[in-house]
Amino acid sequence: RHLQATATPDLPGDPPMTEATFHRSDPAVQLPGMLLRDHWFNLPLDHHGHRPGRIEVFAREVIAPSAKADTPWLVFLQGGPGCESPRPPASASWLPRALQEYRVLLLDQRGTGRSSRLDTRAIEALGSPAAQAEYLTHFRADAIVADCELIRHQLLDGARWSVLGQSFGGFCATHYLSAAPAGLREVFITGGLPPLTGHADDVYRRTYALVRAKNERYYERYPQDVDRVRRIVRHLAEHDVRMPDGARLTARRFLQL
């Protein structure tokens, strides 16, 4: 019953949330070794209030069947950026261990998964590159952390929670430590720790040279692929090829493989 303590009794298929509802959740579903409950939060696109609009952010609560009402929360911040949170029980090998001590919240960060999507078609519809870039500023780590704080106050009534940040999620976790440390009980970081003094551009410059060298070695080993890749690039430049999710496969995207 404690799963229902902060939830509203809405069911799948209910009308979309409005600003007044802010939060809705589904009834709990039991899987072997865990209970799942899905949550949706209606949040501002721009936490600074300069741009109107709201988005939906999805999160899945996971607890052990034996968990108590006061089991502390652990919110998982996925890597990427652009990746949805794991979908138990098929992924997240760390989850059974975490459930021994925590009530876990698997957050689909804004723009990913079942949250309001941010994909190629949505970005292209914004028009100019400047308009696209401005819109993307609302999907950075600072906005993800602001989402977490609104969600924390909604679910925990202001109590502190723990954070586990993986890869890009670790970058979000370090920003969380700077921007809203009062909301944190503890932070775990796996593989995502930003530098204290260096700049990301320095890393990218080294990466460009490394990628070029690896491409040269590849084509030395498979020279027949030179013409094949060129033909694929020409085809993608001249035709509208779509991927399974509906996004366009451009020549530039193909060359990023």
Side-chain angles (χ1 to χ4, degrees):
R1 292 182 60 84
H2 59 272
L3 278 174
Q4 303 174 6
T6 60
T8 55
D10 301 313
L11 299 174
D14 281 351
M17 294 182 298
T18 65
E19 183 173 354
T21 58
F22 182 66
H23 169 229
R24 65 180 174 87
S25 62
D26 287 345
V29 175
Q30 184 160 4
L31 295 179
M34 62 186 69
L35 292 172
L36 311 180
R37 189 183 192 106
D38 292 349
H39 298 267
W40 287 265
F41 302 89
N42 186 272
L43 303 175
L45 171 64
D46 180 2
H47 285 284
H48 300 289
H50 302 309
R51 180 174 182 140
R54 300 185 72 83
I55 61 173
E56 190 169 86
V57 172
F58 170 81
R60 175 164 289 160
E61 177 185 354
V62 188
I63 66 167
S66 60
K68 302 182 183 301
D70 60 353
T71 299
W73 287 76
L74 172 72
V75 59
F76 178 69
L77 298 177
Q78 173 68 302
C83 299
E84 64 185 23
S85 211
R87 299 292 189 252
S91 57
S93 58
W94 53 269
L95 188 57
R97 175 62 182 88
L99 293 178
Q100 296 177 21
E101 298 182 40
Y102 299 97
R103 179 191 305 263
V104 176
L105 190 70
L106 301 173
L107 178 70
D108 279 1
Q109 298 164 11
R110 53 170 52 205
T112 72
R114 296 175 67 184
S115 297
S116 296
R117 293 297 301 274
L118 179 67
D119 54 26
T120 302
R121 285 180 294 179
I123 295 174
E124 289 176 346
L126 295 171
S128 69
Q132 296 173 11
E134 189 280 330
Y135 189 77
L136 288 172
T137 63
H138 304 298
F139 293 83
R140 301 179 306 200
D142 54 345
I144 293 169
V145 169
D147 290 343
C148 288
E149 277 297 276
L150 290 178
I151 293 171
R152 180 178 66 84
H153 282 277
Q154 177 68 25
L155 292 180
L156 283 68
D157 195 26
R160 295 187 300 167
W161 61 10
S162 302
V163 167
L164 169 59
Q166 158 63 22
S167 190
F168 170 71
F171 282 62
C172 295
T174 55
H175 179 78
Y176 209 147
L177 285 165
S178 297
L184 298 173
R185 180 172 175 262
E186 57 193 348
V187 172
F188 306 97
I189 297 174
T190 59
L193 192 63
L196 296 177
T197 58
H199 194 280
D201 288 346
D202 299 328
V203 178
Y204 294 143
R205 291 188 186 98
R206 294 185 178 93
T207 302
Y208 298 149
L210 180 62
V211 170
R212 179 173 181 173
K214 286 184 176 293
N215 274 274
E216 290 174 348
R217 286 200 297 270
Y218 176 87
Y219 289 124
E220 288 173 359
R221 183 173 182 180
Y222 303 102
Q224 69 277 10
D225 284 355
V226 174
D227 181 65
R228 181 178 292 124
V229 169
R230 286 173 177 167
R231 286 188 285 112
I232 293 173
V233 168
R234 283 197 300 269
H235 180 84
L236 294 175
E238 297 169 359
H239 298 82
D240 186 355
V241 178
R242 297 286 165 170
M243 296 187 293
D245 65 354
R248 183 176 180 181
L249 177 58
T250 63
R252 181 177 181 181
R253 175 172 286 187
F254 168 73
L255 291 172
Q256 291 175 341
L257 293 175

